[in-house]
């Protein structure tokens, strides 16, 4: 579950977000500028040998690079997609019960948003074992939730399956209506409590559901409701479980039916950004490498990287330092062996500006463009990082 952060130096909470453009950026992009050469017109009929152009390269400053990225993003945004209605709030059902014997996180009964813990979460052997158990359960729940994502009368574009699916749809007994995000929440809730765990989002700062379901332009923290998934939607499902005193946190963006190619590419690149970020993690590595690696890959495709929501330390406490910035930054701090935290970048097809609904949670892109997110909880080791939330 992403943490909304307002960050200043040193790492603390304040009312302002640092500028996204840092003069100290080191760009890896080069552009060629032609060298103007004045050549007189040759006599009529005389053969002329044309010399190849000479290219002069220069390194971009941080400001120039930001302008280049913005122009690329605007060009990318000019591509017309099939118009679809904006996301609307459905009916939110009541909070689901949790059996009394299941251990609850300390924030549940307060209804208040807990303060960010200032302690890095480092684990000995027993703590690592419990973290792995919680994360493994979260991964299994997320995998199961993904199997529930369906739309009515879905006919795949694969011609091999087309005839079979049409025949199935003629049989009313086989027809399945589209799933609602509320139904996904209920299924996730039941699987978690059946495993003897607590759904961490439930009651966190008053959050009313057991899972976050963020559809299309919703960046994160979508509240499950009565809305049915539609053909062509994308949905991020964010699962966190609290098992034996430890939280395991993970999310993935799923495709619903026939999703257009541009949206598929957004989802694919978002997952690749997470993978590339994990690759740079190890004992002693700088945290800022995460944002650099994510930004480099996202910018190749003209996507925006959301700055407002960050990864976080996770373990016995749901949210703690370090705060993991997914965009380019110059924050200090190094990873330590035995530490656990999440990486959870959100990419957008258009603007990264966002609006939070009056429910205090659901956050959507200001321009209605789609967003995709992937998340893993990782454990820092001496030589790399172990992904704890993989099935």
């Amino acid at each position: 579950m992403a943490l909304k952060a307002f960050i200043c130096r040193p790492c603390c909470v304040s009312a302002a977000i640092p500028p996204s453009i840092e003069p100290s950026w080191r760009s890896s992009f080069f552009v060629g500028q032609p060298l103007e050469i004045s050549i007189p017109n040759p006599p009529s009929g005389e053969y002329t040998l044309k010399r190849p152009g000479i290219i002069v390269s220069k390194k971009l400053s941080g400001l120039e690079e930001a302008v280049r990225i913005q122009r690329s993003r605007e060009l990318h945004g000019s591509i017309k997609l099939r118009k679809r209605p904006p996301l609307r709030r459905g009916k939110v059902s009541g909070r689901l019960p949790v059996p009394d014997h299941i251990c609850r996180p300390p924030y549940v009964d307060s209804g208040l948003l807990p303060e960010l813990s200032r302690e890095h979460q480092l684990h000995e052997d027993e703590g690592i074992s419990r973290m792995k158990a919680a994360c493994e359960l979260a991964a299994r729940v997320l995998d199961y939730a993904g199997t529930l994502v369906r739309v009515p009368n879905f006919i795949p574009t694969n011609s091999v399956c087309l005839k079979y699916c049409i025949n199935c749809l003629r049989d009313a007994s086989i027809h399945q209506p589209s799933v609602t995000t509320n139904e996904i929440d209920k299924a996730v809730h039941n699987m978690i409590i059946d495993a003897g765990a607590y759904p961490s989002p439930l009651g966190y700062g008053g959050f009313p559901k057991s899972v976050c379901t963020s559809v299309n332009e919703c960046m994160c923290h979508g509240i499950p409701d009565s809305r049915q998934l539609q053909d062509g939607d994308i949905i991020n499902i964010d699962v966190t479980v609290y098992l034996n005193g430890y939280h395991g946190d993970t999310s993935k963006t799923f495709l619903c039916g026939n999703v257009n190619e541009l949206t598929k590419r957004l989802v694919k690149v978002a997952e690749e950004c997470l993978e590339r970020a994990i690759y740079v993690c190890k004992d002693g590595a700088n945290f800022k490498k995460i944002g650099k690696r994510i930004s480099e890959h996202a910018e190749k495709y003209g996507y925006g990287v959301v700055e407002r929501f960050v990864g976080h330390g996770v373990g016995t406490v749901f949210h703690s330092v370090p705060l993991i910035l997914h965009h380019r930054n110059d924050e200090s701090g190094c990873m330590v062996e035995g530490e656990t935290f999440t990486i959870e970048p959100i990419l957008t097809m258009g603007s990264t500006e966002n609006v939070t609904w009056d429910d205090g949670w659901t956050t959507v892109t200001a321009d209605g463009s789609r967003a995709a997110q992937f998340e893993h909880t990782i454990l820092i080791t001496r030589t790399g990082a172990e992904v704890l939330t993989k099935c």
Side-chain angles (χ1 to χ4, degrees):
M1 186 175 183
L3 180 65
K4 179 173 69 175
F6 301 90
I7 308 159
C8 64
R9 297 184 180 88
C11 181
C12 63
V13 179
S14 76
I17 299 176
S20 60
I21 300 175
E22 292 288 344
S24 61
W25 284 358
R26 296 181 178 275
S27 170
S28 60
F29 294 90
F30 293 81
V31 293
Q33 293 184 333
L35 181 65
E36 296 183 1
I37 304 175
S38 178
I39 302 177
N41 293 329
S44 177
E46 184 176 332
Y47 175 79
T48 303
L49 176 64
K50 294 185 177 180
R51 298 178 62 186
I54 301 172
I55 303 298
V56 177
S57 296
K58 71 173 184 178
K59 204 168 190 177
L60 292 179
S61 68
L63 179 58
E64 289 173 321
E65 183 177 339
V67 171
R68 182 196 65 77
I69 294 168
Q70 182 62 31
R71 286 176 179 168
S72 174
R73 203 173 288 163
E74 290 171 355
L75 177 63
H76 183 81
S78 67
I79 301 172
K80 299 297 183 182
L81 297 174
R82 179 175 63 87
K83 194 168 184 179
R84 54 184 172 74
L87 189 65
R88 300 296 185 192
R89 180 187 296 111
K91 182 179 179 181
V92 179
S93 60
R95 178 170 168 169
L96 295 172
V98 177
D100 291 339
H101 71 272
I102 291 179
C103 182
R104 291 158 166 72
Y107 55 76
V108 169
D109 295 327
S110 71
L112 302 175
L113 191 67
E115 291 186 4
L116 178 73
S117 172
R118 303 296 178 182
E119 297 293 329
H120 287 246
Q121 301 195 61
L122 303 174
H123 310 282
E124 301 295 339
D125 290 345
E126 182 180 354
I128 291 175
S129 178
R130 292 192 177 195
M131 273 299 296
K132 287 182 175 181
C135 289
E136 190 270 339
L137 173 60
R140 284 194 290 110
V141 172
L142 180 61
D143 189 57
Y144 168 64
T147 67
L148 304 176
V149 176
R150 66 176 186 272
V151 292
N153 301 344
F154 168 50
I155 302 177
T157 55
N158 186 334
S159 60
V160 177
C161 303
L162 184 59
K163 184 177 179 181
Y164 171 76
C165 289
I166 291 175
N167 290 335
C168 286
L169 292 174
R170 293 195 183 111
D171 186 348
S173 65
I174 298 177
H175 173 77
Q176 284 185 318
S178 175
V179 69
T180 67
T181 52
N182 192 62
E183 289 169 336
I184 293 174
D185 175 75
K186 184 176 181 180
V188 164
H189 178 90
N190 289 336
M191 184 174 180
I192 293 173
I193 63 173
D194 286 348
Y198 185 90
S200 302
L202 186 62
Y204 181 83
F207 192 80
K209 291 293 185 174
S210 299
V211 67
C212 298
T213 52
S214 303
V215 179
N216 294 336
E217 67 265 34
C218 184
M219 290 181 173
C220 61
H221 300 162
I223 298 175
D225 58 26
S226 60
R227 181 189 184 276
Q228 290 184 323
L229 295 180
Q230 304 299 312
D231 186 36
D233 281 350
I234 58 174
I235 176 174
N236 176 271
I237 302 177
D238 192 335
V239 172
T240 312
V241 305
Y242 184 68
L243 178 66
N244 297 325
Y246 286 77
H247 297 272
D249 193 359
T250 185
S251 85
K252 179 179 181 178
T253 298
F254 297 92
L255 307 179
C256 306
N258 291 305
V259 177
N260 66 66
E261 292 302 318
L262 286 178
T263 302
K264 284 182 180 178
R265 185 175 68 173
L266 170 71
V267 173
K268 180 175 182 289
V269 173
E271 185 170 21
E272 291 171 349
C273 283
L274 174 59
E275 293 168 350
R276 282 162 170 73
I278 293 172
Y279 184 77
V280 303
C281 295
K282 65 177 181 179
D283 181 45
N286 294 321
F287 285 112
K288 63 184 178 183
K289 286 186 175 181
I290 294 174
K292 181 176 185 293
R293 186 59 63 92
I294 291 170
S295 296
E296 285 175 347
H297 192 59
E299 288 161 6
K300 292 177 185 176
Y301 299 88
Y303 297 139
V305 180
V306 176
E307 299 182 15
R308 183 181 177 189
F309 298 99
V310 299
H312 52 86
V314 64
T316 56
V317 177
F318 197 172
H319 294 111
S320 75
V321 295
L323 298 183
I324 307 301
L325 309 186
H326 303 118
H327 60 284
R328 278 190 172 88
N329 66 90
D330 199 30
E331 296 294 324
S332 61
C334 296
M335 304 171 202
V336 178
E337 183 177 1
E339 183 173 28
T340 50
F341 56 83
T342 69
I343 304 176
E344 42 191 306
I346 305 172
L347 269 56
T348 62
M349 296 184 77
S351 172
T352 59
E353 295 298 316
N354 50 78
V355 177
T356 300
W357 289 0
D358 59 12
D359 60 23
W361 291 100
T362 308
T363 301
V364 299
T365 56
D367 61 359
S369 63
R370 289 188 169 187
Q373 180 186 33
F374 286 80
E375 173 187 11
H376 275 309
T377 297
I378 66 171
L379 167 69
I380 297 301
T381 67
R382 184 175 59 83
T383 58
E386 182 180 352
V387 179
L388 302 183
T389 43
K390 271 190 176 180
C391 284

